[in-house]
Amino acid sequence: MPSPSSGESGFDKLYQEHHEWLVRWISQRAPSSEHARDLAQDTFLRLLNRPAVPDVLHSPRAWLAKIAGNLAVDQLRRQRLEKNYLELLAALPEAEHPSPEFQLELLQILDQIDRLLDGLRPVEKTAFLMARLDGMAYKAIAAELDVSLSSVEKYIAKAMLCCYNATYGEA
């Protein structure tokens, strides 16, 4: 297991050697270069939360691209959630609009749920949210995500365990 200092040097080396490449890679897929720079920074910030970055990676660019791709999926999901919320709010008669305090509380709860599920892979989060927020059946989720029914069951079980552990402590 690498020591913290080797993890830090591994991170520094990874950043120095691959940051600009990652920005270029994301730029080819992102709406703007500013968005690409932000997503690259978020990718490296995600790595800072790891115990250590290995000094030797067989495919560092593939690893970074996967992390950046997962973050992009998370951002799109959050944007979709926000868009759906705003559309729902716009469809309500003004007399039924929630108070600004309630809206803030709701957004804080959604952010808390997002952080709670932060340790999950994007496909696991997506399956859980499709089941819990959209009320989709497991079979429909499997079809939508193009995975097996047993995978969906595992994803949702893992997400529910995360929720349980966050609420009641480690099992």
Side-chain angles (χ1 to χ4, degrees), residues 134-146:
D134 299 335
M136 291 178 68
Y138 288 12
K139 278 187 177 181
I141 296 169
E144 178 80 20
L145 297 177
D146 195 28

Side-chain angles (χ1 to χ4, degrees), residues 54-92:
D55 284 330
V56 178
L57 289 169
H58 296 290
S59 302
R61 290 184 175 183
W63 190 53
L64 290 168
K66 181 68 174 170
I67 293 168
N70 290 346
L71 288 171
V73 168
D74 286 348
Q75 286 178 352
L76 288 173
R77 184 188 46 75
R78 272 188 235 114
Q79 288 170 354
R80 187 181 83 209
L81 182 65
E82 182 179 325
K83 178 182 172 265
N84 290 342
Y85 173 74
L86 292 174
E87 286 175 0
L88 177 68
L89 192 60
L92 288 175

